[in-house]
Structures are given as C-alpha cells and as structure tokens.
Amino acid sequence: MSADAFRNLGIPRFALPWTTLSAFSNPGTSVRAFLTALALLTITPAAAAQFSEGSILYHPIASFDTLLIDEDGVPQHTWPGTARPGLSVRLMPDGRLLRTRNVAMRGGGSSGAIEILDWDGVVEWSYSVDDAERLSHHDATFLPNGNVVIVCWDKHSGAEAEALGRNPATVNLNWWPLELIEVEPTGPTTGTIVWNWKALDHLVQNFSAGMPNFGAPADNPRRIDLNYANIANSGDWQHANAVDYNIELDQLVVSQRGFSEFWIIDHSTTTAEAATSSGGNSGHGGDLMYRWGNPAAYGRGVVADQKLFTQHDSHWIESGKPGAGNMIVFNNGNARPTGPSSSVEEIVLPAMVGGTYPIGVGVPFAPTSALWTYEDQVNPLSFFTSAMGGVDRLQNGNTMICLAGSGIFREVAPDFSTVHQFQNTTPPVGSVAVFRTRSHTVHPFPTTFCPANANSVGPGTSIGWSGSISVQRNDLVLTVADAPPNEFGLFYYGAGTTSAPLGDGVRCISQPFYRLLPPAQMDGFGNASFVLDMEQPPQAGSDILAGSTWYFQFWHRDDPSFGAGSNLSNGMEITFWN
C-alpha cells in the first residue's frame, strides 16, 4: 500500500522539520511524515514469513539507497539518496531515518555528513561534519532528546602525537584519535555541539618520562595507552566503528577496532568534566568506565587473554529482549589464533559499584569470557568477514547476524541452529556488502475513526500523536490540529466506542471515559498537544498497559456564533505495546 493510500485513510500528517523529540511539548508542533512511516512499517504481512519477526533495515555499501525488507526479503520501502553510506543507518522511534553519508573519502568508513529523512525521503536535517577540526566516520546514534551523537576523527598532526609521547617510529603525517560529539539540531543544515569527548584527554604513555601523561598503562586501566596499536604510516590510530547509548545508565559504548576492545564512557558529565578524570555519575569524568576484549591493550593481559579481534557493532541488548542489559558484539576474528573466523559474543557486564564498573588490582576487567558465543557449527572458518559486520538480538531470543562482506543476513537460535539466511543482491552489479542490519518488530499503529464535523474554522478538528505507543518508553504525545485558534479543550479516552451527538460534534467514546488534565489551549494556528504520562493514570481503571486498546478524542470550545459553542475531533484507536 502506498503512503498516499494511508493519507486517504484520514491519518493526520504534520510537519516535522529539524525539531527535537522533546519539542512536541510545544502545542504548535505536530506529527507528519513519521506517522505514515510507522503505518507502512507496521503492516507487514505475516504470511510465509522467513525471518521470524519484523522488518530489516540496511544500506548496501555500493548503493545510494537505504532499504527496508520484510520477513521474506521482499523490499517494503526505499529511501533514495545521493551518496553512499558512511556507514550506518538507523530507524528512529518516531519513524524517521538517521543516515550517515559518505561525502569525504579520506579513510575507511569516512562520512562527512549526517542526515535525517522523513518516510518519503525528504531530508529534514543535513549536517556537515568535515572541517579543520574533525571528520565524521562510521556511525551516529540518536538520543531521547533529539540530539545526535556522532563518531569523529579528531584531526591532529603526527608531530602533536609525538609531543604527547608517541613513539616517533610510528608517527604519520596525520594523527586522528577518536572524538564523540553530541549535536543539537537547530535548523535544516545547522546544529550546536552541546557535549563532546576526546580520547586525547585520557592518555597514558610509558615511552618518555619527559612527556605528558607518563605512567604504566597497567597502573592506569581507565586511560588509553598512546603507544598501543602502533600502526606505522596510519593516522587512523583507533578506528572506532560503532557507538550506542544506554538511556537508563546515561552511558555510551564505542567499538574500537584498532584496540580490539569496546569502551564505555560516562555521558552524564559536562563537556568540561569529560576532559578530566573526575565528575559525572562515575566520578571518573571522561576516563573509561569499562573496557573489554583485549586486556593487553592496558597491560593486564597477554595474547592468550584476548577475546575480541577487530570487532564491530558493540551495543547493549535492548530492554524487553532476552539478555537485556548485556553487551553484544560482532567479533570479526582477524588474527584469531585458531584462524580467521567471525563470531558473536554476548557479555554480562559486572555490576556497577559506586556509579562505575569495578576492576581488581593487577587484573583485567571482568568477565574472563563471554556468556554466549556463536560460531558456524559446520565450518567456523567459512563464516568470516574481515571488515564491517553486525548483530542484533530479536524479541524472541534469536540473533540476527550480518556477515558484511558477503551481504549475508543469518538468523540463529540460542542453540546455534540457523533459522533462516538471506543473501543481499543490491545493487545487481558490484559489491553486495552491507555494513550492518537492524530488525524492527511489527506493531499495530494508531488509526482514526468517527470523522469530525466541521468547526468554525474549517472541515473539522483532527487528532494525532507523536513519540511512540510503547508503554515502556512512555513518550506518547497526543496532538490536535485544525481547531479554532486560542480556544480551550480537553483530551479524554475510554475503552469503548459510540456515536452520540454532543455540541456541534459527535462523541465517539462510550462511558466510562477518563479526562486528561489540565485542559489544553490551542495556539494561534489551532494546534494543541498533551504529554500522556502512562505511569500516572487519571482514575482507577484507566491504566494503560501493554496489549491494551484505548480510544482517544478531543473536546473543545468553539465560536458560539457558529453553533452550540463546542465541538469534537475525530477519534483515534491505539493498541499499546511494551
């Protein structure tokens, strides 16, 4: 079904330019392109499913276009583009697409630009990250407040690295350590950096006692050894390739290919604290809260202790999925002692103590091994990609794996059996490689019913929504548009429907129903909104739970010269999910 067909169902569409998610508390802001996005996304036919759940989002490396395929591998939707990815794409909770673009090829995974698109492919925000200070690469992720965290190379010269204590034998003309920036979108092509973190603020080196940050890496496990991963003639010292955010912990995790580790960083710090070793929830400032995969990188292990080998896509398993809170990683397997083979590792992080992850004296960070490891059960050496790769835990406990170089998506069960395998064939000529995939669970979407009668300013007041219909996220915002400007009104909801005249409109919801207070006032354009707190039901019996269905409507005052002096919007049905 086309987007136009959904619009014809009466589902309201509203402008959502470069506003942040939190902006929906503004009554003048309402929903538009993403509602159609979610509508199209969540009606995937379930018949003859091959993958066990949801739709799969990915962007072939050699293509300009981002694809969404269904369980059978059949394309559902395409977001056209004008550049290859650089390298990640993500579907945001509001249905928009966050995409990196490769517009500055100066290293593996180069990007240079980040964009947000609506369902129809209209670019709502395009932000350049390519200047004298930094260049974006590989990955970006979104925060609940609408800001975007971007992985960057922090541009410096080899001479600067040498002055900090790097071995001159490994110094290149350029030296580009990791920087993370958090950008608040402020306009269609503009943004403000509101937070950043730099690796060079957290170094330790034992090469020269006369240079800064001298000390033994083993005595400073939360700092970064300037002379580890000494790759001659390469300015890309660390080669970070993924970033993920944990909303409950306010922490970021970064995959560091050059160190064969993932690092956890405290995001609760201010930018000033992030440049030091104190402050934030952890008390460590911007020093590493945790690291795992290669204890030799901080002098507390040998080759035999290494668990990760140039890995990708380290991220927390999402809440509500089996293994939630654990870290899951695609382990490429380059230089693995048993031979090059790729695997997936699921790691149980140690319990935090005093706001951080503890480490014993003289020993590496726990654990010593992964909780669950997937390898090909027939021939491990046949399952290998030297670069890129991804993994995603599904709601049913299965795991989706992207074998990037060959463009293979494999779903495996906890017992390691293969549920299904799909071969990407896009583009038809050239590389079929894919950086990684993400699966999106199918959920019903809100629908409208009970058309509104005309009001004093037009054909009728229309109800809509923004945020999500997840009880756990608890970020639903009810909206109305096309109502009489500056008038007051009231959202209400109930478990049943009716059709009863009321004022100049029709009451669509049967009793008992529950009023949402305080009343809302329309702005000068006839828009209003209400933030629905599902943790605070208005009355007994009105609890909104996962799987429950409720009906919403908006009553409002109107110009008495038009008629009865009050009217109602159309109705909206919502089935909530976890």
Side-chain angles (χ1 to χ4, degrees):
M1 186 176 285
S2 69
D4 285 336
F6 277 94
R7 296 180 195 128
N8 292 336
L9 291 177
I11 298 174
R13 288 173 51 86
F14 308 87
L16 188 63
W18 32 268
T19 53
T20 63
L21 296 182
S22 59
F24 288 114
S25 59
N26 178 353
T29 307
S30 41
V31 196
R32 192 169 181 171
F34 82 87
L35 184 57
T36 307
L38 288 180
L40 287 171
L41 175 63
T42 56
I43 60 158
T44 308
Q50 297 296 318
F51 290 119
S52 62
E53 60 181 57
S55 304
I56 300 172
L57 180 79
Y58 69 102
H59 193 132
I61 296 301
S63 173
F64 288 0
D65 302 336
T66 304
L67 305 176
L68 186 73
I69 61 173
D70 67 11
E71 300 97 324
D72 299 309
V74 176
Q76 286 182 298
H77 192 66
T78 300
W79 287 266
T82 58
R84 292 183 178 183
L87 290 162
S88 70
V89 294
R90 297 176 186 264
L91 199 60
M92 301 170 70
D94 60 14
R96 295 179 295 163
L97 184 76
L98 176 66
R99 179 163 70 184
T100 59
R101 298 177 67 231
N102 183 350
V103 297
M105 187 58 193
R106 289 194 292 279
S110 293
S111 175
I114 313 296
E115 62 184 14
I116 295 176
L117 300 85
D118 71 8
W119 179 258
D120 297 316
V122 176
V123 177
E124 298 180 340
W125 185 61
S126 181
Y127 183 71
S128 175
V129 192
D130 180 14
D131 54 33
E133 296 183 61
R134 60 183 64 88
L135 172 65
S136 64
H137 64 99
H138 280 90
D139 200 9
T141 192
F142 48 83
L143 302 185
N145 62 4
N147 293 352
V148 179
V149 173
I150 304 170
V151 175
C152 300
W153 283 305
D154 182 17
K155 295 182 180 179
H156 293 274
S157 67
E160 290 177 90
E162 189 174 342
L164 290 171
R166 188 170 170 89
N167 185 344
T170 62
V171 170
N172 188 35
L173 180 63
N174 298 308
W175 181 58
W176 292 2
L178 169 66
E179 179 183 17
L180 299 175
I181 61 172
E182 178 184 343
V183 179
E184 177 186 0
T186 57
T189 61
T190 59
T192 300
I193 297 176
V194 297
W195 181 88
N196 77 335
W197 177 95
K198 295 187 176 187
L200 63 77
D201 292 325
H202 307 282
L203 302 176
V204 62
Q205 58 86 20
N206 58 359
F207 179 77
S208 174
M211 292 181 178
N213 304 304
F214 181 74
D219 295 336
N220 297 273
R222 298 187 189 275
R223 297 182 73 85
I224 303 160
D225 184 358
L226 178 60
N227 287 293
Y228 189 78
N230 283 329
I231 304 171
N233 301 317
S234 174
D236 185 10
W237 169 42
Q238 297 165 324
H239 199 82
N241 54 39
V243 64
D244 184 49
Y245 177 69
N246 187 307
I247 185 174
E248 289 85 8
L249 302 175
D250 200 9
Q251 297 171 9
L252 293 163
V253 62
V254 185
S255 170
Q256 295 284 11
R257 187 181 193 272
F259 280 58
S260 290
E261 295 183 299
F262 61 80
W263 299 345
I264 295 180
I265 297 165
D266 189 351
H267 179 260
S268 72
T269 59
T270 64
T271 294
E273 291 171 335
T276 70
S277 299
S278 63
N281 295 335
S282 67
H284 300 309
D287 283 354
L288 304 184
M289 295 182 68
Y290 182 78
R291 61 200 305 176
W292 195 86
N294 182 17
Y298 51 103
R300 293 200 180 183
V302 296
V303 172
D305 298 316
Q306 185 171 344
K307 305 301 179 184
L308 299 180
F309 300 88
T310 67
Q311 79 293 330
H312 285 74
D313 199 17
S314 55
H315 62 275
W316 282 277
I317 296 176
E318 294 176 331
S319 179
K321 295 182 177 181
N326 294 344
M327 196 69 65
I328 195 164
V329 187
F330 181 87
N331 194 359
N332 290 76
N334 292 295
R336 194 190 292 266
T338 55
S341 64
S342 297
S343 61
V344 170
E345 320 291 334
E346 180 182 347
I347 302 99
V348 178
L349 302 179
M352 287 196 294
V353 177
T356 192
Y357 300 92
I359 182 171
V361 177
V363 297
F365 280 98
T368 57
S369 60
L371 171 70
W372 181 81
T373 298
Y374 171 83
E375 295 179 314
D376 187 272
Q377 299 301 291
V378 178
N379 180 7
L381 296 180
S382 69
F383 193 71
F384 175 66
T385 182
S386 62
M388 306 182 292
V391 59
D392 193 19
R393 176 60 48 82
L394 305 181
Q395 198 79 34
N396 63 1
N398 292 350
T399 302
M400 184 72 71
I401 305 169
C402 174
L403 198 65
S406 55
I408 290 175
F409 311 158
R410 177 183 291 185
E411 181 183 344
V412 300
D415 64 1
F416 312 120
S417 60
T418 298
V419 176
H420 182 61
Q421 183 164 297
F422 173 79
Q423 172 68 64
N424 173 51
T425 57
T426 303
V429 177
S431 173
V432 295
V434 173
F435 179 58
R436 70 182 181 213
T437 62
R438 281 292 180 266
S439 299
H440 294 274
T441 306
V442 174
H443 295 294
F445 64 98
T447 56
T448 56
F449 68 101
C450 185
N453 289 346
N455 57 36
S456 62
V457 295
T461 303
S462 57
I463 191 169
W465 62 284
S466 69
S468 74
I469 53 175
S470 164
V471 173
Q472 191 172 74
R473 287 180 181 155
N474 194 23
D475 60 355
L476 178 66
V477 179
L478 301 172
T479 64
V480 289
D482 305 319
N486 305 313
E487 295 285 0
F488 283 90
L490 196 69
F491 288 95
Y492 71 103
Y493 68 102
T497 64
T498 188
S499 180
L502 180 64
D504 291 319
V506 176
R507 177 167 62 85
C508 307
I509 300 173
S510 59
Q511 295 181 335
F513 48 75
Y514 308 100
R515 298 172 177 85
L516 294 169
L517 297 173
Q521 183 178 18
M522 267 70 75
D523 63 14
F525 299 97
N527 300 318
S529 65
F530 185 91
V531 178
L532 180 64
D533 185 356
M534 290 178 252
E535 296 179 354
Q536 300 292 330
Q539 295 173 242
S542 64
D543 300 72
I544 295 176
L545 306 175
S548 63
T549 298
W550 293 93
Y551 302 90
F552 293 81
Q553 194 174 20
F554 184 70
W555 171 92
H556 62 86
R557 297 190 182 279
D558 203 349
D559 185 349
S561 64
F562 177 76
S566 67
N567 211 321
L568 296 105
S569 70
N570 54 344
M572 181 169 63
E573 176 183 349
I574 302 179
T575 298
F576 292 85
W577 49 278
N578 188 57

